[in-house]
Amino acid sequence: MKRREFLSMSAVLAAAGLFAGCAASNAGSTASSTAGSAASEQPSNGGETIKIICPYGVGGTADIVARKYGQVANQLQKKYNFIVENMTGGDGFAAATYFADNDTSVTKELLVFGYGVCYRHDLGKEFGTEEVDFDRNEMYPIGTIDDRTWIIYTTPDQSLASILEKAKNGGIKMSGGNPLSDCHLSWGSLIAMEGGKVSVVPYDGGANQKKGLTDGEVDVFVGTTQAAKDEVEAGTLIPILAMNDRPFEGFVTPNGAITVPTCAGESKAPELNAANDYASCILPAGGVLAVHKGTDQAFIDEMVEITKDVWNEPDYNEWIASILLNRFELYGDEAEAFINEACEKAINAYKNLSGQA
């Protein structure tokens, strides 16, 4: 199992240069392994080809959502033919750098633009946590296509109470994402508010992230509702907290359906400090489809309308529900404002992690 263990978060934040170096090393190895071999689909409906650039590998959540979007969009209209091309590297940064560059990007392309990339962009620019070679303001969101709820999973012999206690007495380890990924910012800021510590152990792929938990190498796995659905049904992993203010009710365990408590709102887990407001720890997860900022407005308008049509198609919205993602729709300026507000929350979460709050 390939993995790289990182220092505790306090050490990472105290040595931002070390963190940036680790990120660059990972980005380089990923990019070199995928350059020139991006997975793509051939045109199928005869329309003008529109590439959807997916910054992550084939088979991941972002990839399957993008491919489902393209499939449904192609069924609904014939003017454009949507295909997906994977452009991996830098955990999303390689595709964003390409897309933001006026000299390399193509006006009639779309980018799967994740909130986590936006968070890391702003943190890198403001705090120097990693090198950022693009301007996220060069991307304009046509609409949301992917909304996720982060779930904290652990093993059946543990509980939220035991995890919180361990975090306060020496610290815990998590898998799922990398240091300062959106899931780390969300869960890590909550642990910081609880007076605890969490460090991140990055693994190659979701299967290894879960195996790290079942093998006892980490204390929790932070992932989407889809990520551990099978393990929850089998009883090998248990969901102990939803990083949301709405309880999640989609899981079925060997003992029947369960409701996962939240970090805020009426269903806030009683194990959490009642005096703390953890709403600031709820960071949007998922992403949007974006165009280049300089794209013709008529094309933008067309893409917005197609995205609305895709969401209204049961083949898409019911499929989204079936993989335990959320239906959440914002378009154009409203989606852009939403991203900006989310990035402000991410900066506050970072300040919690680094003791600057």
Side-chain angles (χ1 to χ4, degrees):
M1 180 187 302
K2 290 186 178 180
R3 64 184 178 88
R4 290 181 298 143
E5 294 201 24
F6 279 71
L7 300 174
S8 67
M9 195 58 222
S10 59
V12 172
L13 296 172
L18 174 62
F19 167 65
C22 291
S25 174
N26 183 55
S29 62
T30 305
S32 64
S33 66
T34 57
S37 60
S40 62
E41 300 167 342
Q42 295 303 310
S44 61
N45 74 353
E48 180 183 357
T49 297
I50 304 293
K51 287 184 181 179
I52 300 175
I53 305 297
C54 179
Y56 308 102
V58 176
T61 302
D63 176 70
I64 63 173
V65 169
R67 290 177 189 278
K68 187 65 174 181
Y69 175 95
Q71 174 193 337
V72 175
N74 288 340
Q75 293 170 352
L76 293 175
Q77 52 76 51
K78 297 301 180 185
K79 181 176 180 179
Y80 298 108
N81 186 80
F82 294 89
I83 65 171
V84 174
E85 182 173 293
N86 301 81
M87 186 182 293
T88 62
D91 198 21
F93 270 32
T97 301
Y98 159 81
F99 206 81
D101 188 340
N102 284 315
D103 293 329
T104 60
S105 63
V106 178
T107 56
K108 288 189 176 181
E109 285 183 337
L110 303 178
L111 174 69
V112 178
F113 197 35
Y115 302 133
V117 173
C118 297
Y119 303 157
R120 288 169 50 220
H121 169 281
D122 284 21
L123 293 177
K125 292 290 189 181
E126 184 166 344
F127 299 102
T129 50
E130 61 184 308
E131 184 177 346
V132 182
D133 293 327
F134 66 94
D135 180 358
R136 73 171 176 88
N137 294 310
E138 290 298 324
M139 285 65 133
Y140 180 74
I142 60 170
T144 54
I145 60 166
D146 176 2
D147 188 82
R148 316 175 184 191
T149 299
W150 292 126
I151 299 290
I152 314 303
Y153 301 93
T154 192
T155 49
D157 58 327
Q158 302 185 95
S159 64
L160 178 58
S162 68
I163 292 296
L164 293 175
E165 185 66 22
K166 186 174 182 180
K168 297 172 187 176
N169 294 281
I172 59 172
K173 294 179 180 179
M174 64 166 277
S175 63
N178 296 296
L180 301 187
S181 62
D182 42 349
C183 54
H184 175 225
L185 288 170
S186 184
W187 170 241
S189 60
L190 181 146
I191 292 297
M193 290 177 68
E194 281 279 323
K197 297 178 181 178
V198 59
S199 58
V200 184
V201 182
Y203 292 82
D204 292 337
N208 285 336
Q209 292 169 3
K210 291 180 287 188
K211 192 172 188 300
L213 174 56
T214 56
D215 286 352
E217 296 175 349
V218 298
D219 302 287
V220 296
F221 162 58
V222 184
T224 66
T225 48
Q226 175 204 14
K229 177 176 177 289
D230 292 343
E231 288 81 2
V232 171
E233 290 180 356
T236 56
L237 294 181
I238 60 169
I240 56 175
L241 192 68
M243 298 303 296
N244 208 324
D245 56 5
R246 301 185 306 276
F248 185 75
E249 299 178 339
F251 286 122
V252 177
T253 73
N255 297 319
I258 62 169
T259 298
V260 184
T262 61
C263 66
E266 295 181 358
S267 301
K268 179 180 175 181
E271 296 88 345
L272 296 173
N273 189 331
N276 287 344
D277 180 5
Y278 299 101
S280 62
C281 303
I282 304 171
L283 300 182
V288 302
L289 275 184
V291 296
H292 193 278
K293 205 68 171 260
T295 301
D296 181 73
Q297 186 60 47
F299 178 74
I300 294 175
D301 293 342
E302 282 185 300
M303 294 300 103
V304 169
E305 290 306 311
I306 288 173
T307 304
K308 289 179 179 179
D309 290 342
V310 168
W311 266 116
N312 286 326
E313 182 62 32
D315 192 25
Y316 188 77
N317 60 57
E318 291 180 2
W319 176 81
I320 286 288
S322 75
I323 64 169
L324 304 184
L325 300 182
N326 310 312
R327 180 167 185 169
F328 179 71
E329 296 179 65
L330 288 175
Y331 302 95
D333 291 347
E334 289 186 347
E336 187 171 49
F338 179 78
I339 291 174
N340 291 334
E341 291 173 5
C343 286
E344 291 178 7
K345 293 185 70 175
I347 286 174
N348 290 331
Y350 172 85
K351 290 178 178 178
N352 279 337
L353 280 172
S354 58
Q356 301 177 48

